[in-house]
Structures are given as structure tokens and as C-alpha cells.
């Protein structure tokens, strides 16, 4: 494999380009990757308790009953305590005003959240979105000095430990039911990059409410919780956004642009973790690289199946179509699409949204690999590019090896040594084959969607977008027609899935 930094092939052109593949590039003195929500929630609790001037949270959902540690204080209790103790602390929570179909299984949170929070906590439920879109970014900023950019929200079913134990009683939810095993990754960072995420949160607050929020005073140098070891130091961080078009501004699609640029630039291995794999544009880009004789390996980690009923009818069939298509486009055998499981065989929900390109680029945030996150929803990611820094390049490769080792259930060093011995990441995965990381097999009936709707229509949002391109009164009708066109093949898929489970 190429040594950290790219070896002797020369310095490649940068991937993080403000105005194209990212919004801004700012410095962070320390960056840490928090793997799984036991680490994120506990670290966030410490950061919230240390807030002095400002707490900004933008989220897809929020439940104040979420325990930040098993049996410990809830998110609502921590926020209420700091609001009561510090009158000067400005606390603002911007959360998507979820539809009833989404909110009902969550106990009608976040709609019920204001009744459980201190009167000085400003919470706004954002409903200013195009038809079918939502606010999906997940950013927490403390005093503009410390920030978290995540693929996860604070909700009652989200906590899990890195061990992903079967039937873990620590995952018990307020109603008594146990939550399932769950994998998520959060980036924690400081410095000007944290302040940039604060600017993003204030921008979104102004978009949703019309109210401008001033920056807090100069950030404190001691804002980072002291017991978190950084994975990167003195890094350059790109803030990457997806914003739908509004009457006042054009759409921003930095997220898709960076994904496509990274896929095109990769030389050796592309590693992706995501809840979904349903973007035909991303699949086509990966297929083109797999067809190259000397293209990169492609490693994709996804949930075995979606946890929600609606997503199982839309995102899972879309993934099956794209997985089948990519396997056909892989003549050199460089593709691995896998799903993690517990030691007892239960599927683990993958809620992380990660891209690692070689030892060059690491991206973490809220963006799924589907049409919604590419075009419709509001998203925010952060990306670190090792531009000639051998130490950061080594750390990016180490992060990839550690994540794969996490899913295999082995030590990161063990997997890294196996990669060196085999000469490639894919070969190391094959050698260390484990029932904890299983090959995803597309449903044999996934071709129904392809036959019914054609290439590129696996993602329902892609189909709706195609049919709704016309402006005017017919736009909503066409969008509804798109959903109706999906009904027949999805009904077949649902019947077959239920039959297999029964």
C-alpha cells in the first residue's frame, strides 16, 4: 500500500474547496472521534455542564428524557440545571418539526419537549422546508469553543456502548422496552472550526425564526472536556453543507460534490459507513471506479436492514438494487458491502455517516447516502484533509482500521497488521472473516423496481425529483404520482420480505 502521505506519486489537488466542496475551511487544534453514543453522550454532558455563554443545538429530533449515561441524568435535567445556575447562558435548540408519522413512534417528541425544559431554554420546531424535506443536521456548539458534528441525535433509543451487547439492560427506554444495538460516530473539535459550526447553527436559527443571534464573547481555551484524547492535532477542517433551495437562495450541494470528488480521487481504498445506501449518483461513481483495472477498493458498511417500517419499504429495496448493480460492475473483485452484527447475531443499526478516502480525507456528519441528503434535507458534515501532513495521513488510515476492527470485534492493531500482511484492506477483511461482519445479500426480487421504474429510480426521492421538475400547479401532483408509482413494486417487496421472515 502507499505509505501515509501518498508516497512518491506527487501532491494531489486539494479536495476541500470553499464554495465548491465545502463552505469554509478553518483550523482546529484538536479533533477527537467519539465512537458510539456512550462516548458522545457522556462527553456532551460534561461539555454542557461547562457552558458559560452559549449552547446551540440543531437536531433532527430531541427527547429530554434521553439518559446521557445509563441510570444517570437525562439531557433535559442537564440543560435545566445549567439554565437555572447561569442566567447569562443563552441556550437555543433548533429541531425539525417532525410529521405525525415520524413523531408518533417517538412519543410525539420533539413536540412535547418544551414542556420538559426550563423557561429560559429557547426551543424552536422548524417547519420551513420544501415539500418532503426536513432539517437533518446534528450539531452541538458550546461557547463557540467546542463543537460536536454527528450522525446522531439525543433520543431515548440512541445510547449504546462499543461492545454492542445483546439485550443490554442499559438500553432500556422510558416505556420499559430495550433499544437495539446501534453504531454511531461523532467528531468533536475546537478552535475556529468550532466557531464556524456555531455560525452554521446561528444561520439555521435565523433561517427558521428570522432572528439574528450574536456570537458569544471570545471562546475559552479550556472548553474541551479534559479526559478526551484527540485523534488529530492542528487540523484543517472543512464545514460541508447541504441546503435546499428557497425563495431567497439557491440550493447548496457541497455534500454531494465532496463525495463525488473524493470517489474520483481515491487511489487505494474508499471506506463508507452509512445508515442507507440509496443514491444512484454515488453508486454510479463507485461503479465507474470499480470498473477500472487499478481503481480503489470499495468497503461499505450498512445496517442489515432499516429499523423503521417506512424505511424498510423505501431505503432497503433501493439499497438492494444498488448493491446488485455494483456487484455486477465489479469485475476485479474489489467491492465489499457488509453489515455488522452482535456476538449473538442481532443486526446492529449503523447510524454513522462516514467517508474515508485513502489516508487523505475523513468526513463525518449527518449526510446519508440517499437523495434526501443530497438535495432535499438540511445537512452538515465536517471533513479533515491531510494535505501533505504524514502524521494526519497516518491518523486517517488508523481511524479507518480502528472502525473496521470495531465491527470485526478485534483490536485495531490486529487488523492494521493484517492489512500490512495482506497488502490491502479488502484482502484483510477476507482473511479475518467474522460472523460479526456479514456480506449483504440483495433481495432476489429487487429487480422488480428496476423493471418497473428504470435506472436511477431506486431512491424514491430521485424518482419524485425527476417527475416534479416541472414548475407550476402540477408539481405536487407529479410528486404524489411518483409515490404511487412506487407502491406496486414496494408491495411486492414487502410481501416477499414478510414471507422470508415468517
Amino acid at each position: 500500500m502507499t505509505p501515509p502521505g501518498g508516497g512518491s506519486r506527487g501532491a494531489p489537488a486539494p479536495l476541500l474547496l470553499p464554495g465548491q466542496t465545502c463552505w469554509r475551511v478553518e483550523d482546529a487544534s484538536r479533533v477527537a472521534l467519539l465512537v458510539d453514543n456512550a462516548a458522545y453522550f457522556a462527553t456532551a454532558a460534561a461539555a454542557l455542564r461547562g457552558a458559560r455563554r452559549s449552547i446551540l443545538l440543531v437536531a433532527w429530533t430531541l427527547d429530554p428524557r434521553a439518559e446521557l449515561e445509563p441510570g444517570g441524568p437525562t439531557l433535559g435535567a442537564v440543560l435545566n440545571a445549567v439554565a437555572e445556575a447561569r442566567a447569562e447562558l443563552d441556550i437555543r435548540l433548533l429541531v425539525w418539526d417532525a410529521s405525525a408519522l415520524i413523531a408518533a413512534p417517538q412519543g410525539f417528541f420533539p413536540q412535547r419537549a418544551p414542556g420538559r425544559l426550563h423557561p429560559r431554554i429557547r426551543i424552536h420546531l422548524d417547519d420551513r422546508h420544501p415539500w418532503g424535506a426536513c432539517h437533518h443536521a446534528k450539531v452541538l456548539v458550546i461557547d463557540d469553543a467546542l463543537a460536536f458534528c454527528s450522525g446522531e441525535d439525543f433520543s431515548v433509543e440512541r445510547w449504546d456502548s462499543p461492545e454492542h451487547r445483546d439485550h443490554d439492560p442499559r438500553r432500556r427506554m422510558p416505556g420499559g422496552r430495550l433499544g437495539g444495538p446501534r453504531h454511531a460516530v461523532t467528531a468533536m473539535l475546537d478552535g475556529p472550526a468550532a466557531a464556524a459550526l456555531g455560525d452554521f447553527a446561528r444561520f439555521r436559527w435565523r433561517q427558521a425564526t428570522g432572528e439574528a443571534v450574536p456570537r458569544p464573547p471570545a471562546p475559552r481555551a479550556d472548553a474541551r472536556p479534559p479526559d478526551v484524547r484527540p485523534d488529530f492535532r492542528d487540523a484543517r477542517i472543512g464545514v460541508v453543507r447541504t441546503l435546499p433551495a428557497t425563495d431567497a437562495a439557491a440550493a447548496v450541494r457541497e455534500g454531494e460534490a465532496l463525495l463525488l470528488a473524493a470517489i474520483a480521487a481515491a487511489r487505494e481504498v474508499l471506506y463508507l459507513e452509512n445508515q442507507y445506501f440509496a443514491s444512484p449518483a454515488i453508486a454510479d461513481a463507485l461503479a465507474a471506479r470499480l470498473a477500472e483495472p487499478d481503481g480503489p477498493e470499495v468497503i461499505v458498511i450498512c445496517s442489515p436492514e432499516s429499523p423503521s417500517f417506512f424505511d424498510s419499504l423505501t431505503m432497503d429495496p433501493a439499497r438492494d438494487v444498488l448493491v446488485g448493480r455494483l456487484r455486477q460492475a465489479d469485475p476485479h473483485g474489489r467491492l465489499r458491502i457488509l453489515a455488522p452484527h452482535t456476538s449473538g447475531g442481532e443486526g446492529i443499526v449503523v447510524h454513522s455517516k462516514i467517508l474515508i478516502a485513502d489516508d487523505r480525507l475523513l468526513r463525518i456528519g449527518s449526510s446519508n447516502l440517499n437523495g434526501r441528503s443530497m438535495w432535499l434535507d438540511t445537512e452538515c458534515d465536517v471533513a479533515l484533509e491531510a494535505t501533505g501532513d504524514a502524521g494526519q495521513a497516518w491518523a486517517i488510515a488508523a481511524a479507518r482500521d480502528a472502525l473496521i476492527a470495531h465491527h470485526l470485534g478485534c483490536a485495531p492493531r490486529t487488523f492494521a497488521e493484517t492489512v500490512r500482511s495482506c497488502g490491502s484492506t479488502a484482502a484483510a477483511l477476507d482473511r479475518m472473516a467474522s460472523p460479526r461482519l456479514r456480506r449483504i445479500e440483495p433481495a432476489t426480487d429487487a429487480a422488480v423496481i428496476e423493471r418497473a421504474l428504470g435506472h436511477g429510480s431506486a431512491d424514491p426521492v430521485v424518482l419524485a425529483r425527476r417527475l416534479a421538475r416541472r414548475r407550476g400547479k402540477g408539481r405536487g401532483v407529479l410528486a404524489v404520482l411518483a409515490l404511487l408509482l412506487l407502491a406496486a413494486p414496494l408491495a411486492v417487496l414487502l410481501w416477499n420480505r414478510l414471507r422470508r421472515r415468517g
Side-chain angles (χ1 to χ4, degrees):
M1 297 185 69
T2 303
S8 60
R9 296 186 182 181
L15 292 172
L16 291 176
L17 300 173
Q20 299 180 43
T21 60
C22 65
W23 177 38
R24 293 160 55 177
V25 178
E26 302 286 356
D27 294 329
S29 60
R30 293 168 293 182
V31 180
L33 307 185
L34 306 177
V35 178
D36 295 316
N37 291 328
Y40 176 33
F41 286 10
T43 306
L48 290 168
R49 292 187 182 103
R52 293 296 181 269
R53 295 292 184 182
S54 171
I55 294 173
L56 295 168
L57 174 65
V58 293
W60 181 77
T61 191
L62 179 139
D63 191 333
R65 302 173 301 167
E67 292 182 351
L68 299 181
E69 297 179 68
T74 64
L75 173 68
V78 172
L79 288 173
N80 290 340
V82 295
E84 183 66 28
R86 300 181 189 120
E88 72 280 8
L89 183 58
D90 183 33
I91 305 176
R92 297 173 189 258
L93 316 177
L94 180 67
V95 188
W96 178 46
D97 188 5
S99 67
L101 288 175
I102 301 295
Q106 300 177 156
F108 289 99
F109 285 93
Q111 284 83 354
R112 295 171 59 191
R116 293 174 177 261
L117 295 173
H118 193 282
R120 285 203 312 101
I121 296 175
R122 301 278 304 278
I123 179 168
H124 182 80
L125 301 182
D126 184 12
D127 62 356
R128 294 190 180 184
H129 300 284
W131 183 86
C134 73
H135 169 78
H136 195 248
K138 307 158 196 303
V139 174
L140 171 63
V141 186
I142 311 294
D143 294 338
D144 264 26
L146 182 68
F148 302 82
C149 186
S150 185
E152 195 57 279
D153 292 298
F154 293 98
S155 190
V156 294
E157 78 282 13
R158 305 301 175 95
W159 188 95
D160 198 10
S161 70
E163 294 78 23
H164 304 301
R165 299 174 183 171
D166 290 279
H167 314 298
D168 191 337
R170 296 175 298 174
R171 296 198 298 260
R172 193 169 303 281
M173 295 187 287
R177 184 171 63 88
L178 289 184
R182 194 177 193 91
H183 171 70
V185 180
T186 298
M188 180 175 70
L189 43 90
D190 62 6
L197 287 173
D199 288 341
F200 170 80
R202 283 182 287 272
F203 163 76
R204 287 291 298 116
W205 184 273
R206 186 174 69 251
Q207 269 196 324
T209 69
E211 178 186 6
V213 181
R215 278 189 169 188
R220 310 178 339 266
D222 63 344
R224 174 176 290 274
D227 58 345
V228 178
R229 181 184 62 83
D231 296 284
F232 301 89
R233 292 186 179 274
D234 301 322
R236 296 283 284 167
I237 300 294
V239 178
V240 185
R241 307 164 302 162
T242 299
L243 301 170
T246 67
D247 292 338
V252 173
R253 294 173 61 181
E254 297 157 358
E256 184 182 46
L258 180 59
L259 278 169
L260 293 173
I263 291 170
R267 294 170 171 172
E268 295 187 6
V269 58
L270 283 159
Y271 177 78
L272 299 104
E273 287 186 6
N274 212 273
Q275 179 179 12
Y276 306 127
F277 185 67
S279 167
I282 300 305
D284 287 347
L286 292 173
R289 299 306 314 275
L290 288 169
E292 297 173 11
D294 59 350
E297 298 175 341
V298 176
I299 315 296
V300 181
I301 308 294
C302 285
S303 304
E305 58 185 15
S306 295
S308 76
F309 177 77
F310 178 75
D311 284 349
S312 71
L313 293 184
T314 54
M315 294 295 100
D316 288 359
R319 182 195 67 186
D320 288 347
V321 168
L322 297 185
V323 169
R325 188 183 301 162
L326 283 181
R327 292 227 167 102
Q328 293 177 356
D330 181 32
H332 309 288
R334 297 195 305 265
L335 174 70
R336 305 291 185 275
I337 301 184
L338 306 162
H341 293 72
T342 67
S343 58
E346 184 177 359
I348 298 172
V349 173
V350 176
H351 212 246
S352 51
K353 299 93 166 63
I354 293 174
L355 165 72
I356 303 177
D358 297 333
D359 53 7
R360 178 180 175 188
L361 184 82
L362 166 65
R363 167 179 150 163
I364 295 175
S366 66
S367 297
N368 288 313
L369 294 178
N370 62 359
R372 295 184 63 95
S373 286
M374 300 297 107
W375 298 322
L376 279 178
D377 294 344
T378 301
E379 307 283 3
C380 185
D381 303 81
V382 292
L384 185 156
E385 185 174 11
T387 53
D389 186 316
Q392 289 185 3
W394 180 90
I396 290 174
R400 180 188 64 233
D401 290 344
L403 286 167
I404 296 175
H406 173 84
H407 295 304
L408 288 170
C410 68
R413 181 175 180 178
T414 300
F415 183 74
E417 290 173 349
T418 306
V419 172
R420 286 192 290 271
S421 173
C422 293
S424 84
T425 302
L429 273 166
D430 294 344
R431 178 180 292 183
M432 296 189 68
S434 166
R436 295 192 60 167
L437 198 54
R438 305 177 186 179
R439 173 184 165 107
I440 289 178
E441 297 294 347
T444 56
D445 47 23
V448 172
I449 292 181
E450 290 277 76
R451 289 196 297 268
L453 304 176
H455 175 78
S457 59
D459 187 334
V461 174
V462 176
L463 178 62
R465 183 181 173 85
R466 286 182 172 181
L467 294 178
R469 279 177 178 167
R470 282 176 43 193
R471 298 185 182 274
K473 295 181 179 179
R475 189 172 182 178
V477 174
L478 289 171
V480 172
L481 175 61
L483 297 178
L484 292 176
L485 285 173
L486 281 168
L490 289 179
V492 174
L493 286 166
L494 175 60
W495 167 252
N496 285 329
R497 284 174 183 269
L498 292 174
R499 184 177 59 188
R500 285 198 301 271
R501 291 179 183 177

